[in-house]
Amino acid sequence: MEPLLFSHVTLVSCLGRGLGVHRDALLADKSGLSPCDFEDARLSTWIGRVAGVEDEPITGPFAAFDCRNNRLARLALECDGFAEAIARAKERYGSDRIGVFVGSSTSGIEHTERAYKARGGDTGPLPGWFVYRTTHNAFAPADFVRAWLGLDGVTTAIATACSSSAKVFAAAHRAIGFGLCDAAVVGGVDSLCLLTLYGFNALELLAPEPCRPWDVRRAGISIGEAAGFALLERDRGAGGIGLIGFGESSDGYHMSAPHPDGAGAGLAMRAALDRGGLDPAQVDYVNLHGTGTRANDRVEDRAVVEIFGTDRACSSTKGAFGHTLGAAGIVEAVVGHLAIAWGFLPGTANATTLDPELRARVIERATPAAPAVVLSNSFGFGGSNCSLLLARLER
Amino acid sequence: MRLGVTGIGVIAPGLAGWPEARDILRGAAGYAPAPLPKIVPAWLPARERRRATRSISMALGVAEEAMATPERARGVPAVFACSGGDTDVIDTLCCTLLAPERPVSPAQFHNSVHNAPAGYWSIAIGDLAPTVSLSAYDASFAAGLLEASGMLADGGKEALLVAYDVPAPPAIWPFRPLNAPFAVGLALAADPAAGASLAFRLARDRAEDTMDDPELERLRTGNPAARALPLLQALALERPGEVVLPYLPGQALCLEHAPA
């Protein structure tokens, strides 16, 4: 496929704000997880919480968008000169020719949770300060990014659970190919809320300690929050790092458990390789979806080994970030970008003893290397799978 | 590009299926809203059928009608466009989060994701073809059509578009006052000769088409998925022409259509 250049990238997570902080944290095998202290949640679990969100409300003309989710998005848009890069892109393309594709799974539902709490009982009106369209509604994250950046082109919110902000890359590629836009802001944001904490708890998928992907004692996920964005443009033949392939598939099996033989996961990975015109041997590093549940890691291990064998360097970075759900795709695309840009293989934070039944070659600690091609997996609830292929672009 | 429409599904009050909707839209029968019958997606296995909510059932109902058989549906990527997801389930969950111990039901939780209908669809047809679930608020139908067309432009032979929305429960309704449920399914093909053909462009200077019948117009403006009605009417009338559907504020999707 025609590659899309990552001409600008940004990320905010529990590890901090901006690319430099994340590079340093990954190189030092840091984990940003902490014991859950979100609202009045009484759960034995760890979370990846972004510090300071409570202190930075959205005010002024965009105040209607104020909610935790959009605040997180705003923090990312203000990092790494991203907003300035978009301003320059607007000069180059026109504000109506830059698409916006944002992934999120729960959007601003935390705003609605607080409204129901303020109401008290089960009946009666929600408080007058409740908004909905610009906070909780599924389009709100994309609408906010578009408004904040002053863009006026094609705009879509994608909500496919844990693959949301990986699938935005595919959507952007199609829109650019179809001529709907000439460049695109892609990314995602998801924020802590009681629904996902208690929902995953009900599914018995929350680990009581920091999640430890691929570990023999792994016991589930740690939920995190994050926001990240990339500006994608057509490859100019001037080098850089780009999206050279993507693959999407479904599991068609169960709403909250992956297909045991990993066929959907395998299909997504192979489709990404096909689209990128690469053999598995040409991939230097696989960033696993690696949530730390017994089922995901087992199934993903099988699918990865079937395609890449047991000698390909892989790792899961969810021990560092937590599982940021709808933001996981962009988080891990940025991790892949950092790995290529700075020359290292990220490790698998919190894993201490790898499960001997899993056969993928999982890198435990960050290792200097020169990966030129990275595959990143995001396999979502409801069986929505997406794999992204990133690579150094030729001059 | 031109693409072809090879199948249509509709479920809305008084429009129970494409044959009935087609007669009404071409003026052969009058339109009167009538309560929706219970929709049971026939292709879902028993366990998922028991757990399917109203929005899941409506989305699958129109997908089934548009594709006609599970065999035809396999291998076809699908776009599910819904402006707001399942607000009934969200309402229930938000109340549950106020109860002691917060006893969230696992089935309710997995039904709360925006892509639940898409997940159920893949299970119903037992297929690995990708799906995407999206929202562009009131522009969701047009956004879904653009995404499905993008899949065809990218080399796909067929794509399924399902657009659906269901009114919210009382607590949320004042903030999102949809006046009726509506679901539409369009089976699309890259070959414009495969059915009625469509070509389109985005424009900034066109006003959206309205329906002449006041009740149909009320339906069109009362549900984002029902913004498809002028297109459905064009397909029913089987005459060449152009329809203008709303996209994002200030933008419209102009669809030039010709019968099969």
Side-chain angles (χ1 to χ4, degrees):
Chain A
M1 73 174 222
E2 197 198 312
L4 289 178
L5 172 70
F6 280 61
S7 57
H8 221 88
V9 176
T10 183
L11 183 62
V12 167
S13 76
C14 62
L15 290 172
R17 303 185 190 188
L19 295 178
V21 162
H22 284 92
R23 176 203 62 223
D24 294 344
L26 288 166
L27 286 169
D29 298 302
K30 281 212 174 102
S31 168
L33 301 179
S34 57
C36 179
D37 62 347
F38 183 72
E39 302 267 328
D40 60 352
R42 302 249 174 290
L43 293 167
S44 297
T45 192
W46 286 55
I47 55 174
R49 182 173 191 155
V50 173
V53 180
E54 298 76 16
D55 307 323
E56 303 197 46
I58 299 169
T59 57
F62 301 113
F65 286 105
D66 186 46
C67 64
R68 191 177 185 91
N69 211 56
N70 290 332
R71 291 183 190 188
L72 258 178
R74 197 269 305 273
L75 293 182
L77 294 172
E78 290 183 333
C79 256
D80 296 304
F82 193 81
E84 289 80 357
I86 300 307
R88 290 192 299 274
K90 279 159 67 173
E91 305 269 306
R92 196 174 329 134
Y93 297 106
S95 62
D96 59 334
R97 296 297 301 170
I98 301 174
V100 173
F101 301 89
V102 178
S104 183
S105 72
T106 47
S107 186
I109 195 178
E110 179 261 352
H111 176 85
T112 303
E113 289 174 1
R114 284 192 294 108
Y116 274 69
K117 182 173 176 177
R119 179 176 75 165
D122 274 6
T123 56
L126 293 173
W129 50 258
F130 177 62
V131 285
Y132 175 73
R133 179 179 72 86
T134 44
T135 56
H136 176 182
N137 177 265
F139 186 54
D143 199 15
F144 173 68
V145 169
R146 162 191 163 87
W148 186 263
L149 295 175
L151 297 173
D152 189 29
V154 62
T155 304
T156 307
I158 291 186
T160 58
C162 321
S163 58
S164 301
S165 57
K167 287 175 79 77
V168 291
F169 285 84
H173 179 265
R174 285 188 283 267
I176 291 172
F178 194 28
L180 295 178
C181 55
D182 301 314
V185 172
V186 302
V189 51
D190 246 339
S191 44
L192 292 168
C193 61
L194 295 173
L195 176 63
T196 51
L197 284 165
Y198 282 88
F200 280 102
N201 185 59
L203 286 167
E204 299 182 340
L205 293 177
L206 282 190
E209 297 169 345
C211 71
R212 42 175 82 243
W214 252 252
D215 192 287
V216 68
R217 289 184 299 124
R218 68 188 185 279
I221 73 175
S222 300
I223 294 176
E225 59 185 0
F229 298 98
L231 172 62
L232 296 180
E233 300 181 70
R234 288 192 171 91
D235 179 16
R236 297 193 265 261
I241 297 168
L243 181 79
I244 63 165
F246 59 84
E248 302 171 277
S249 73
S250 300
D251 274 3
Y253 176 70
H254 189 277
M255 283 305 293
S256 54
H259 197 305
D261 70 18
L267 181 55
M269 290 190 274
R270 287 196 193 281
L273 292 168
D274 282 347
R275 193 180 277 271
L278 295 185
D279 290 326
Q282 294 172 282
V283 172
D284 298 310
Y285 163 65
V286 178
N287 183 283
L288 302 160
H289 184 54
T291 59
T293 65
R294 302 221 58 93
N296 174 82
D297 295 0
R298 185 177 59 242
V299 169
E300 188 176 9
D301 185 82
R302 181 178 163 165
V304 165
V305 167
E306 198 175 296
I307 296 172
F308 295 101
T310 54
D311 70 343
R312 191 59 31 81
C314 307
S315 71
S316 166
T317 44
K318 288 189 164 70
F321 294 93
H323 187 352
T324 55
L325 305 179
I330 187 68
V331 165
E332 290 157 26
V334 172
V335 168
H337 184 277
L338 289 170
I340 297 172
W342 293 94
F344 70 102
L345 303 174
T348 303
N350 305 337
T352 52
T353 309
L354 296 181
D355 187 336
E357 289 188 6
L358 303 182
R359 296 157 56 226
R361 183 182 145 230
V362 166
I363 306 296
E364 291 176 69
R365 313 207 75 88
T367 307
V373 180
V374 170
L375 183 81
S376 177
N377 290 336
S378 295
F379 303 144
F381 229 46
S384 170
N385 307 310
C386 183
S387 295
L388 301 178
L389 200 55
L390 280 63
R392 275 209 180 284
L393 299 177
E394 285 166 41
R395 264 181 207 283
Chain B
M1 74 175 288
R2 299 198 80 87
L3 45 100
V5 180
T6 58
I8 304 173
V10 176
I11 296 173
L15 299 172
W18 178 238
E20 176 176 282
R22 186 179 50 209
D23 283 348
I24 290 166
L25 290 169
R26 40 155 90 116
Y31 173 64
L36 280 184
K38 184 164 163 62
I39 302 141
V40 181
W43 303 352
L44 270 180
R47 173 183 66 192
E48 277 72 27
R49 213 181 312 134
R50 273 197 304 277
R51 294 174 173 168
T53 61
R54 191 162 60 137
S55 41
I56 292 167
S57 300
M58 288 187 72
L60 264 60
V62 298
E64 288 177 4
E65 186 178 16
M67 299 306 290
T69 65
E71 293 71 34
R72 261 209 66 205
R74 287 187 193 119
V76 177
V79 178
F80 286 78
C82 177
S83 80
D86 195 326
T87 41
D88 280 326
V89 170
I90 293 293
D91 176 77
T92 302
L93 287 167
C94 283
C95 290
T96 305
L97 290 173
L98 298 174
E101 306 301 324
R102 296 178 160 134
V104 169
S105 127
Q108 293 269 13
F109 180 55
H110 72 55
N111 279 354
S112 73
V113 293
H114 195 81
N115 61 307
Y120 276 73
W121 172 246
S122 299
I123 293 169
I125 59 174
D127 195 52
L128 306 186
T131 65
V132 66
S133 298
L134 57 85
S135 168
Y137 206 62
D138 286 344
S140 295
F141 178 78
L145 187 51
L146 290 172
E147 175 67 12
S149 306
M151 290 175 173
L152 297 174
D154 193 38
K157 290 209 166 64
E158 294 181 89
L160 169 65
L161 169 62
V162 177
Y164 60 99
D165 257 293
V166 170
I172 299 173
W173 193 88
F175 305 90
R176 185 47 168 164
L178 304 191
N179 61 28
F182 193 97
V184 56
L186 292 177
L188 301 168
D191 177 8
S197 70
L198 299 176
F200 52 85
R201 61 185 182 90
L202 286 174
R204 285 179 192 264
D205 54 354
R206 301 294 305 275
E208 66 201 71
D209 286 346
T210 58
M211 304 299 286
D212 290 335
D213 179 306
E215 284 295 331
L216 285 172
E217 176 62 7
R218 197 168 166 271
L219 182 57
R220 188 189 73 85
T221 57
N223 186 308
R227 302 295 194 279
L229 275 168
L231 172 61
L232 292 176
Q233 185 165 57
L235 293 169
L237 287 168
E238 295 180 283
R239 289 201 288 263
E242 189 194 49
V243 293
V244 181
L245 303 185
Y247 182 47
L248 295 167
Q251 299 187 56
L253 190 59
C254 302
L255 288 148
E256 190 205 304
H257 56 86

